[in-house]
Amino acid sequence: MDYQNKLVLAPMVRVGTLSFRMLAAEYGADITYGEEIIDHKLVKCERRTNVAFGTTEFVEKGTDNVVFSTCEEEKNRVVFQMGTSDAVRALKAAEIVCKDVATVDINMGCPKAFSIQGGMGAALLSKPELIHDILATLKRNLDVPVTCKIRLLKSPADTVELARRIEKLGVPALAVHGRKIADRPRDPAKWDEIADVVAALSIPVIANGDVLEYDDFSRIKAATGAASVMVARGAMWNASIFSPKGKSHWEDVKKKYLRKSILWNNDVKSTKYTIKEMIAHHSCLELPEGKSINKADTLEDLARLYDLEDYFWTVKNVGPLTNDLPHVL
């Protein structure tokens, strides 16, 4: 994968499913990260082909629980991000999915208690030997590129030192979120400290943090010297942030996202969560729309709410021809 001058969709739990990744790509995202999947969960999965929806699914054995879903159309740009704290288990999990994705990425930046208490995410930042073990094991045994995404450490010097250690392991790129573990989204991202990492490395750095408008792509690149730019919240609130033509109205983006969710059979809980995040940012969840979403139990319920019943049933009836739906409709 080429990491120069790319617009990148960040990994976002419950948001970065296939339907949202395809939406972001349609608007202009070059690389799309899936939501973080924990290795413990993936090793319990088996690979299945869903002919009706044209997808490859990784389903928890003995259940209908789809843990990760992808399709041929995104194979060259999708990044599978994994949460792990063990090299052997990480390899076992990665081997299950690696033939269906472009890259495997290790999450070393999530500050949430669940990740840190499990020794994953940002907990890895203080364990350089474990980082070495995980990345070296994956790189030695996988045929796809292996990357990672980190946060800033306590001092710029510490961040640079860790980044250099990671670079020496042969990763093709490094994503850096310009916040520390204790920082929150309301705290400004430290673009200057990302610039320190860029200056110290020879591999491409993907800069992440406070990219909320299309113009921010060029601003953060100029400020940091990064090869590419990653966006999270800005894309969640309006995926058309990737479009050089300018943003579409969020209501139109929301409806297009729901169509993608129907088209790719997205989990209804993830679909509701993402739509509610859009509404909460632009409007108010206490209005009738938000209350109706809470009551929806299925994608069909959501389709009915947004006058997409005909589309829903067309998808159901077309079956294996779902990839032709843009033409059909």
Side-chain angles (χ1 to χ4, degrees):
M1 184 182 287
D2 180 11
Y3 291 94
Q4 295 290 341
N5 299 312
K6 302 301 181 186
L7 305 184
V8 185
L9 175 68
M12 291 181 283
V13 175
R14 294 188 296 276
V15 176
T17 55
L18 174 59
S19 55
F20 195 86
R21 298 194 304 267
M22 295 297 283
L23 178 70
E26 184 174 315
Y27 280 119
D30 302 300
I31 300 171
T32 54
Y33 281 59
E35 60 175 333
E36 178 195 23
I37 305 295
I38 307 302
D39 56 3
H40 284 286
K41 181 168 285 191
L42 192 62
V43 296
K44 299 176 183 177
C45 292
E46 58 186 3
R47 182 183 184 276
R48 296 181 187 173
T49 299
N50 188 328
V51 177
F53 287 92
T55 57
T56 298
E57 300 174 343
F58 296 85
V59 184
E60 194 170 351
K61 295 176 183 176
T63 75
D64 292 323
N65 179 33
V66 178
V67 173
F68 179 72
S69 179
T70 184
C71 65
E72 188 64 29
E73 290 90 330
E74 69 165 3
K75 187 174 182 179
N76 293 328
R77 66 171 176 266
V78 64
V79 178
F80 180 84
Q81 196 191 58
M82 186 187 337
T84 187
S85 61
D86 180 85
V88 174
R89 191 170 58 245
L91 177 59
K92 185 178 179 181
E95 286 176 334
I96 296 172
V97 75
C98 66
K99 290 181 173 61
D100 295 290
V101 298
T103 304
V104 171
D105 184 85
I106 302 301
N107 183 338
M108 300 183 185
C110 181
K112 295 182 179 179
F114 171 81
S115 287
I116 292 179
Q117 290 169 4
M120 302 176 291
L124 292 174
L125 297 176
S126 59
K127 301 175 181 178
E129 294 80 10
L130 181 55
I131 288 177
H132 181 283
D133 193 21
I134 292 171
L135 293 179
T137 298
L138 294 181
K139 192 172 185 306
R140 186 169 58 247
N141 291 282
L142 299 180
D143 293 329
V144 298
V146 178
T147 59
C148 60
K149 181 173 184 283
I150 67 171
R151 278 189 172 236
L152 302 177
L153 277 71
K154 290 184 178 179
S155 73
D158 289 341
T159 307
V160 167
E161 180 183 354
L162 177 62
R164 282 175 169 162
R165 294 185 69 158
I166 291 172
E167 180 182 36
K168 288 179 181 177
L169 292 170
V171 298
L174 176 67
V176 182
H177 185 175
R179 291 184 174 87
K180 300 177 183 180
I181 294 176
D183 290 341
R184 292 296 173 258
R186 64 178 177 273
D187 298 314
K190 300 172 179 64
W191 289 2
D192 57 331
E193 295 191 28
I194 298 177
D196 293 336
V197 176
V198 173
L201 303 187
S202 58
I203 60 173
V205 171
I206 305 170
N208 174 217
D210 287 348
V211 179
L212 304 176
E213 302 292 341
Y214 185 82
D215 288 346
D216 291 334
F217 287 120
S218 57
R219 289 181 57 242
I220 192 172
K221 281 195 71 176
T224 64
S228 295
V229 180
M230 175 181 282
V231 56
R233 292 174 299 154
M236 177 176 67
W237 294 332
N238 190 327
S240 65
I241 188 176
F242 292 105
S243 174
K245 298 177 182 178
K247 280 185 180 178
S248 300
H249 193 282
W250 74 275
E251 293 271 17
D252 297 330
V253 176
K254 177 185 65 178
K255 200 161 186 177
K256 182 174 284 191
Y257 166 69
L258 180 54
R259 290 167 70 96
K260 297 284 188 190
S261 293
I262 294 169
L263 180 61
W264 298 106
N265 197 32
N266 195 42
D267 175 69
V268 67
K269 291 181 180 178
S270 295
T271 304
K272 288 172 60 173
Y273 177 86
T274 304
I275 291 177
K276 286 166 67 174
E277 286 293 316
M278 295 180 192
I279 294 171
H281 179 71
H282 294 282
S283 180
C284 177
L285 285 170
E286 295 304 313
L287 296 175
E289 179 186 11
K291 294 179 180 180
S292 296
I293 291 172
N294 284 332
K295 294 177 182 178
D297 294 322
T298 65
L299 287 177
E300 184 181 357
D301 292 338
L302 291 175
R304 188 178 302 112
L305 176 61
Y306 289 100
D307 296 324
L308 288 173
E309 281 185 284
D310 288 346
Y311 182 84
F312 177 86
W313 286 111
T314 301
V315 170
K316 291 293 185 183
N317 293 330
V318 170
L321 301 179
T322 50
N323 291 335
D324 294 330
L325 273 180
H327 173 71
V328 172
L329 301 180

